[in-house]
Amino acid sequence: MKMYNVAIVGATGAVGQQLLTCLAERNFPIGELRLLASARSKGKVISYCGTDYVVDETTEDSFAGIDIALFAGGAASKMYAAAAVNAGAVVIDNSSSFRYDPEVPLVVPEVNPEDVRWHKGIIANPNCSTIQMVVALKPLHDAAKIKRIVVSTYQAASGAGVEGLNELRDQAQILAADPNAEITPSAFAHQLAFNVIPHIDVFQDNDYTKEEMKMHWETQKMFHDNEIRVSATAVRVPVYRSHSEAVSIETERKLTAAEAKEILKNAPGVVLQDDIANKVYPMPLLSSDTDLVYVGRVREDISCDNGLCLWVVADQIRKGAATNAVQIAELLVKEELV
Ligand code: 3JN
């Protein structure tokens, strides 16, 4: 069996750690494993499948002999992706640095696997909120052509990394002991515990945030459809893990709720969890630490003719980041593109 030399840039972060777990769980055929991070993490020891690896600092020279470089280190992508490509690696990048570059495919394997074929060295992983939404919507788009999407997200604290997760935990502990305690936020713009914050990433000229515009740009790119319009409101909620989304779609052809459920039941990567009589619907506590996208509360929209409403939940560190990246790597292997 052919083995692949794999580098992980940002190996010590939340997504980097999850990448290691996913690679091990899925038995990815790794020859050499190189763990890279910023100078701050140099020398840390991380265990992978029973072997200890020492984290090295990422430099331009880090990628000799590497076949696949998984980037999970935010700012490192712009700094080192070109060096990795020049060294002969295929880069799978989790940041937004290359997502909107027409020369770079943006891929969710359940949605547009064919786009990996035209990669020129870099493949971008979409934003976590986009990934779970398009996995749920692509089969409905194929069946009835979605014209418009209105989505509100309920994004977990760990979307902002380990720092966000710790900030929520600390605030909850402090406020449980003293509801009037003074809170100084750092990872988020405001106190997150016992609050919701309608602000993720930076505001744009049109008063949407960049997190919201990512869902518009990325859906258009992966659906190969510049007509489809997405209006998102991205909200941070005091949940540790798994993003939720209330999604309303308007389709060209009418889809009944029953038809939509039948389609979703058979859709790749989707679990239909929709049994309202028994209070069954997706929730972040149920989806956390799993790789699938859960859809429920499927109903016909009473506010427009060809409308459907759905509730979509997925673990944003797994399917929204690491699992999707590893699935792309698996596609590259399967299609002999690396
Ligand atoms: O906040 C979340 O829930 C998801 C965060 C994603 C994120 C955070 C910082 C930078 C991204 C992303 O993947 O879009 C980026 C980025 O723009 O690379």
Side-chain angles (χ1 to χ4, degrees):
M1 184 192 207
K2 192 170 168 198
M3 306 294 258
Y4 299 84
N5 295 340
V6 173
I8 299 184
V9 180
T12 56
V15 175
Q17 292 287 297
Q18 187 66 64
L19 278 167
L20 286 166
T21 307
C22 290
L23 287 164
E25 282 174 358
R26 301 171 77 97
N27 278 321
F28 192 82
I30 296 183
E32 185 197 333
L33 177 64
R34 210 171 289 169
L35 302 186
L36 303 165
S38 63
R40 208 161 22 103
S41 297
K42 185 181 160 103
K44 276 193 183 161
V45 176
I46 293 178
S47 171
Y48 178 79
C49 293
T51 304
D52 283 348
Y53 291 83
V54 180
V55 175
D56 207 351
E57 181 182 351
T58 317
T59 70
E60 304 248 317
D61 302 322
S62 296
F63 301 97
I66 291 296
D67 301 305
I68 298 174
L70 298 163
F71 274 69
S77 304
K78 277 213 170 86
M79 289 161 75
Y80 301 113
V85 173
N86 288 339
V90 179
V91 168
I92 301 172
D93 181 39
N94 203 55
S95 80
S96 62
S97 306
F98 306 103
R99 287 182 195 149
Y100 317 116
D101 182 335
E103 300 285 295
V104 173
L106 180 68
V107 175
V108 172
E110 293 88 341
V111 171
N112 59 333
E114 66 285 355
D115 283 332
V116 289
R117 296 195 191 122
W118 55 269
H119 85 78
K120 298 179 171 65
I122 302 178
I123 298 167
N125 216 31
N127 174 266
C128 45
S129 296
T130 315
I131 291 179
Q132 66 185 70
M133 184 177 80
V134 294
V135 168
L137 294 188
K138 178 63 167 38
L140 303 177
H141 187 53
D142 289 343
K145 193 164 176 12
I146 299 172
K147 295 192 299 191
R148 176 169 183 247
I149 302 170
V150 178
V151 53
S152 293
T153 70
Y154 303 65
Q155 296 184 218
S158 53
V162 179
E163 201 198 352
L165 189 75
N166 291 342
E167 186 157 312
L168 174 60
R169 180 176 298 130
D170 292 348
Q171 288 179 0
Q173 278 169 356
I174 291 166
L175 291 163
D178 175 6
N180 298 315
E182 180 94 4
I183 294 293
T184 310
S186 141
F188 305 112
H190 300 275
Q191 173 188 317
L192 181 59
F194 310 110
N195 195 18
V196 296
I197 307 172
H199 172 189
I200 301 176
D201 211 332
V202 292
F203 283 100
Q204 307 288 286
D205 288 346
N206 63 0
D207 292 354
Y208 282 79
T209 63
K210 189 171 176 202
E211 185 78 0
E212 291 160 352
M213 291 310 296
K214 286 169 185 171
M215 297 183 83
H216 176 80
W217 297 324
E218 296 173 16
T219 303
Q220 287 197 337
K221 182 163 178 174
M222 285 185 286
F223 282 7
H224 306 290
D225 182 351
N226 288 336
E227 306 269 286
I228 194 166
R229 289 192 285 174
V230 183
S231 178
T233 303
V235 181
R236 187 75 68 196
V237 296
V239 163
Y240 284 134
R241 191 169 169 139
S242 275
H243 289 356
S244 306
E245 298 175 344
V247 185
S248 295
I249 60 171
E250 203 181 330
T251 53
E252 205 161 272
R253 179 176 85 71
K254 173 144 185 83
L255 266 186
T256 64
E259 265 180 283
K261 286 184 202 180
E262 202 49 42
I263 291 167
L264 290 164
K265 236 186 244 167
N266 299 307
V270 171
V271 178
L272 182 68
Q273 232 170 25
D274 197 333
D275 179 7
I276 47 175
N278 289 305
K279 300 184 197 158
V280 173
Y281 27 71
M283 290 189 288
L285 283 180
L286 301 178
S287 64
S288 288
D289 220 17
T290 78
D291 289 316
L292 297 165
V293 174
Y294 299 84
V295 185
R297 299 292 323 278
V298 179
R299 61 206 189 275
E300 283 155 43
D301 189 337
I302 55 171
S303 74
C304 73
D305 287 340
N306 290 356
L308 277 176
C309 302
L310 329 93
W311 175 248
V312 181
V313 183
D315 184 317
Q316 90 287 356
I317 309 179
R318 278 186 175 261
K319 183 55 189 165
T323 307
N324 199 70
V326 175
Q327 284 177 297
I328 292 172
E330 288 170 349
L331 251 183
L332 289 171
V333 167
K334 187 172 138 221
E335 304 233 346
E336 298 178 6
L337 293 163
V338 65

